Amino acid sequence: TIHYVEQGNGLSDALARHRRQFSSIYIDVVRTGEQSGNLARNVHQLAIRLADDLELRRKVRGAMIYPAIVFAGIIVLGTVLSLFVFPRFIKLFNSLDVPLPAMTKGIIWLAQWLNLYWGWLLLGLAIVVILIRLFSRITLFETAWHRLLLMLPIVGSIIQQVNLTRFTGTLGSLLKSGVTISEALHSVIHSCTNLAYQHSIRAALREVEQGATLTTAIGHYRHLFPPLVVRMIAVGERTGQLDELLLYLGNYYDGQVDSSTKQLGILIEPLLLIVIGVMVLIVGLAVITPIYQFTAAIGSL
């Protein structure tokens, strides 16, 4: 890139030669800065946008760490119990001359099944993961999956807020840097991670290029863009402050993501504790009940 610029080419042209490392957002902002003479200001604006986007990703990942760790712990605990602990109890129960409760029989059956078929279980899980990866590359299935995610309680709301943060914040930064609305919308498409938003923005771009306002274009997708977004964009277009209002919306939804991820953690923690408690209760009753029945039978002799 340095040698290419030293040969007299523009920085935006140099970045365009490496699109895998620099997305269209980088290129459009730098090109507009070069044409307007405000390259330093545009690059600073881009740096702020990238820092905000990085912080957004950290918030979402941070909210998922605790549930992932607990879920992995549950799987490890169940595996250890099934492969190492329950086989010992099975030998004990077989030596007891007492009828086993249905719960204990179920636990024994599950432990024996896992001991016999754990290899096939792992193979089946690997096949399922591979099939999911293959189907995810088919646009039709991937789009349907992304639309389904938006319908989920809590999680769907967070996904919507994340995509609205990226749409409004990135679009506002591009417009503030002097990028035209059409070029800005084209760059924003891939800043959204949900395919439903990508398709809607792509359709809105076609309408804007045909002369429609952004308000009208996104107004067809009320399930993706809440009334607040549509009204604020309408006000911005009327007053000529679209970039400022979009940046305001970006900050607003960034705060919403922060609040929602914290609420998600608060909701998931007791739910996971309940799941762990139920597992411990089931295992405890399955183990203790036969022993209690055996001691009670001995005591009655």
Side-chain angles (χ1 to χ4, degrees):
T1 300
I2 296 175
H3 297 304
Y4 192 75
V5 173
E6 288 176 344
Q7 293 173 3
N9 299 292
L11 178 59
S12 59
D13 295 328
L15 297 180
R17 292 162 56 90
H18 305 279
R19 288 187 177 272
R20 293 184 64 180
Q21 289 76 29
F22 301 97
S23 66
S24 56
I25 295 175
Y26 290 83
I27 299 168
D28 291 342
V29 170
V30 171
R31 179 178 290 115
T32 304
E34 289 175 329
Q35 293 173 353
S36 63
N38 295 315
L39 181 58
R41 187 195 70 180
N42 284 17
V43 171
H44 177 69
Q45 189 71 28
L46 177 62
I48 294 174
R49 182 66 252 156
L50 293 176
D52 291 342
D53 191 57
L54 177 61
E55 182 63 25
L56 178 64
R57 290 199 299 270
R58 285 175 176 172
K59 290 176 183 177
V60 176
R61 289 174 182 172
M64 296 293 105
I65 289 176
Y66 176 75
I69 292 175
V70 175
F71 185 70
I74 292 174
I75 293 177
V76 172
L77 176 62
T79 303
V80 171
L81 290 175
S82 300
L83 298 180
F84 301 103
V85 178
F86 286 144
R88 299 178 183 274
F89 281 102
I90 291 173
K91 295 179 181 179
L92 173 63
F93 294 151
N94 290 334
S95 66
L96 299 179
D97 189 18
V98 293
L100 298 177
M103 184 182 299
T104 305
K105 291 180 180 179
I107 293 292
I108 291 175
W109 176 86
L110 179 61
Q112 291 175 333
W113 187 88
L114 289 175
N115 271 289
L116 292 174
Y117 302 107
W118 64 269
W120 290 104
L121 178 62
L122 292 178
L123 179 61
L125 291 175
I127 293 174
V128 169
V129 171
I130 292 173
L131 289 176
I132 291 175
R133 294 294 298 272
L134 291 176
F135 277 110
S136 66
R137 296 180 181 180
I138 302 175
T139 304
L140 179 64
F141 289 99
E142 189 177 10
T143 302
W145 171 247
H146 282 209
R147 293 186 185 278
L148 177 63
L149 288 176
L150 289 171
M151 299 178 186
L152 296 177
I154 304 177
V155 176
S157 176
I158 293 177
I159 293 174
Q160 183 184 49
Q161 291 164 3
V162 168
N163 282 273
L164 288 174
T165 301
R166 289 180 169 175
F167 170 73
T168 55
T170 305
L171 184 60
S173 297
L174 290 171
L175 294 178
K176 193 174 184 65
S177 299
V179 180
T180 63
I181 183 68
S182 297
E183 292 177 342
L185 284 173
H186 185 271
S187 299
V188 165
I189 290 173
H190 295 289
S191 69
C192 294
T193 56
N194 189 277
L195 286 183
Y197 277 91
Q198 291 185 13
H199 293 331
S200 64
I201 297 171
R202 193 173 285 111
L205 171 60
R206 289 194 294 267
E207 289 193 41
V208 169
E209 289 176 337
Q210 294 172 2
T213 63
L214 181 59
T215 306
T216 303
I218 68 170
H220 302 312
Y221 305 95
R222 298 277 180 172
H223 59 292
L224 298 176
F225 300 96
L228 173 64
V229 175
V230 178
R231 288 197 296 266
M232 292 289 281
I233 290 177
V235 172
E237 288 182 319
R238 287 198 303 268
T239 60
Q241 296 181 326
L242 181 58
D243 54 348
E244 297 292 342
L245 290 177
L246 284 170
L247 290 173
Y248 170 80
L249 284 172
N251 292 329
Y252 170 77
Y253 280 108
D254 183 62
Q256 291 292 102
V257 171
D258 190 26
S259 176
S260 297
T261 50
K262 290 179 181 177
Q263 290 178 2
L264 180 63
I266 294 173
L267 290 173
I268 287 179
E269 183 172 355
L271 180 62
L272 291 175
L273 291 176
I274 290 173
V275 171
I276 295 174
V278 170
M279 287 181 60
V280 172
L281 179 63
I282 291 174
V283 172
L285 289 176
V287 171
I288 294 174
T289 303
I291 297 175
Y292 175 77
Q293 290 178 347
F294 178 71
T295 54
I298 293 177
S300 64
L301 295 178

